[in-house]
Amino acid sequence: MWDPTATRRTVLLAGLVLTGAIGGLIRPAEASAGPGVKSPPIMGCGAWRAREPSDVIPVWDRRPVRIIVHHTATPNVEDLSRNAAEFVARKIQDFHMDQRHWIDTGQNFTISRGGYVLEGRHRSLDVLRGGTQHVEGAHCTGQNVEAVGIENEGTYSTLTPPDQQWERLRDLCAYICHQYGIEPTEIGGHRDFKDTLCPGDAFYAILPRLRGEVADVLGEPLPEGAARRASWPLLRSGSEGRAVQAAQHLLRAAGLTDVEPNGRFDERTVAAVRAYQQAHRTEEINGLIGGETWPLLVTAQGGDDGEVALAVRALTPDGAVRAAALPGIEEWKRLLSADPRP
Ligand SMILES: [Zn+2]
């Protein structure tokens, strides 16, 4: 989903970076992958009659390092025409400019259900063609300077994108990876960073396949298992399992002792998560534990160590982790990924 408050923090930076004074971290062009990686057709803002942005578009003089996949959370329309593609692009731009008061569309690119690829934020297309700079978007707070954002029209909680949309997404991701030397394993979903359902459970579940197909297009197939990476499970009301129980212990460690560590994401757990989010001023106060709240929960200092240890034990019932040291953040993520019941 395009992120309703994604510019809250990035707006502070916007005025600083307009002409490329920011250096650093450019990988050599040779890092780009093999020959024959072609751009899919992309409609520039002019082609879909976008409105002019209301301010100067921030362009960073360095390459993005990852791609973030979103769904628009709009209806799964049957109309696959170019007109329908332009319609959704304009609706999003109007929403972002008129309701959110952003300077332009938030995401860098949009892909319609019919497989049309459209430039989102102005300049994103030319800058991508150049391969050395990045247009700062407003699609995922904290990632907008580093990540290219792609909105895929539709709602993919139970359904996956239609073939023509999927193929264009794969080809666009491959082209972006090629232009910037981004590894296909650096393709993620919005929920990897925020407490959001985006890009939908069904779509998120096939991101490993996307990474693998993108690597194939680049001519550098991924080794067995490399397309699947550790990720924070997105827990919500009704979720069950070890990850829920671990979260409940971590909430208790943080002082929210109304929560019972029963492995069921019940009403009390929802209330505790909301209270936790409020206290930590997360972007959304929504009772979801995702890519923003998990890292806070597992790295909290000064909590009840006994509860933290119980959280670890909930994830390692066979005692695989020795209790001498608490897990680091990547180890937490790995342990939580292993829970088969999100
Ligand atoms: Zn999103």
Side-chain angles (χ1 to χ4, degrees), residues 27-86:
R27 291 201 227 169
E30 306 83 72
S32 296
V37 178
K38 292 204 170 59
S39 174
I42 302 175
M43 294 167 58
C45 283
W48 58 270
R49 289 169 290 146
R51 291 157 61 181
E52 286 302 308
S54 63
D55 203 342
V56 181
I57 299 292
V59 178
W60 290 75
D61 210 6
R62 65 186 194 189
R63 296 174 180 184
V65 298
R66 63 180 62 89
I67 297 170
I68 297 181
V69 172
H70 303 260
H71 71 172
T72 58
T74 55
N76 290 332
V77 297
E78 301 286 337
D79 185 349
L80 308 182
S81 67
R82 172 175 166 153
N83 273 347
E86 295 186 16

Side-chain angles (χ1 to χ4, degrees), residues 1-3 69-71 139 151 190 196 198-199:
M1 167 169 64
W2 64 76
D3 196 325
V69 172
H70 303 260
H71 71 172
H139 59 94
E151 284 283 356
H190 195 176
T196 173
C198 180

Side-chain angles (χ1 to χ4, degrees), residues 163-193:
D163 288 349
Q164 60 277 8
Q165 188 177 31
W166 175 265
E167 285 160 16
R168 285 292 161 79
L169 173 63
R170 175 195 63 209
D171 292 348
L172 178 62
C173 287
Y175 181 64
I176 293 168
C177 287
H178 173 259
Q179 288 299 89
Y180 291 127
I182 296 174
E183 299 294 337
T185 49
E186 291 300 321
I187 299 170
H190 195 176
R191 66 173 62 181
D192 289 326
F193 303 96

